[in-house]
Amino acid sequence: MSSVIAFAGSNSSTSINFKLVSYTVNQLEGINCEHLNMSLYPFPMFSEDYEKENGYSNSLVELCNDIKKVNGLLVSVNEHNGYPSAYFKNLVDWLSRVDKNFLANTKILLMATSPGKRGAQNSLSASEKLLTRFGGEVVATFSLPSFYEQFDDKSGIKDVTLNAAYKEAIGTFISKL
């Protein structure tokens, strides 16, 4: 059985990307999925000085090891001022210091959502470039614009065309695991 780690690239307790990931986890039938709430993973801002003085936290090393053990990642990234959040970039910075190839042979479903009409597409694009740098293979992407108008916690994505694209991305991801 394939295994996946799923999380939002946000540490906000009210993250809409976490809501999208939570809904998506329930769509992955037949997949062993560990769903992480990143608001429970507070990592200090990366700096070489901090790394030299303090090393790596146990939770960081465990997360890195867990990622290296799974077949895939399901990640939904938020967008702050047109780019991935500082939290997400910081997380990747720390993970890459533990193991530069922490995503080797990992298939990734990369999603993004925002309240705006572009659906965090800039963040999605930047995150795809970032994750492939560390050995990950982004096999499918999905952007959900206008989250509050387009998403319902129970029924999912309201727009028929967007829902079809969403299901296609999930199908592609599952087929590549």
Side-chain angles (χ1 to χ4, degrees):
M1 176 186 287
S2 294
S3 59
V4 170
I5 290 178
F7 62 90
S10 169
N11 60 345
S12 170
S13 64
T14 61
S15 169
I16 59 177
N17 282 277
F18 183 76
K19 288 182 180 183
L20 181 59
V21 168
S22 298
Y23 178 77
T24 304
V25 163
N26 292 320
Q27 310 304 307
L28 300 179
E29 296 177 15
I31 306 288
N32 181 21
C33 190
E34 182 178 0
H35 185 202
L36 304 178
N37 180 346
M38 298 313 286
S39 69
L40 304 175
Y41 288 81
F43 296 113
M45 189 58 67
F46 176 78
S47 79
E48 290 181 3
D49 293 335
Y50 184 93
E51 178 186 31
K52 192 180 300 180
E53 188 174 316
N54 300 291
Y56 308 124
S57 69
N58 288 340
S59 60
L60 177 69
V61 172
E62 288 171 10
L63 178 59
C64 187
N65 288 336
D66 288 347
I67 288 172
K68 292 190 305 185
K69 290 177 189 172
V70 297
N71 307 100
L73 282 183
L74 186 165
V75 180
S76 188
V77 291
N78 56 337
E79 186 171 274
H80 293 168
N81 298 316
Y83 289 94
S85 69
Y87 177 82
F88 180 68
K89 176 65 169 68
N90 187 58
L91 174 65
V92 173
D93 288 345
W94 275 113
L95 289 167
S96 70
R97 296 298 283 199
V98 174
D99 182 345
K100 185 167 175 86
N101 293 309
F102 73 99
L103 292 173
N105 303 313
T106 303
K107 308 300 183 198
I108 301 169
L109 169 55
L110 184 59
M111 303 186 301
T113 190
S114 73
K117 293 180 180 178
R118 291 192 28 83
Q121 288 179 15
N122 288 344
S123 181
L124 187 74
S125 176
S127 296
E128 183 171 5
K129 290 176 186 172
L130 179 65
L131 295 175
T132 57
R133 179 183 180 114
F134 303 107
E137 180 186 354
V138 177
V139 297
T141 62
F142 175 73
S143 169
L144 178 62
S146 306
F147 179 83
Y148 295 108
E149 292 83 31
Q150 294 296 339
F151 187 80
D152 178 80
D153 289 339
K154 294 180 181 153
S155 61
I157 298 166
K158 297 175 185 178
D159 181 85
V160 174
T161 303
L162 286 170
N163 194 42
Y166 169 76
K167 288 184 177 187
E168 181 179 342
I170 291 172
T172 299
F173 176 61
I174 290 170
S175 74
K176 300 289 185 176
L177 291 175

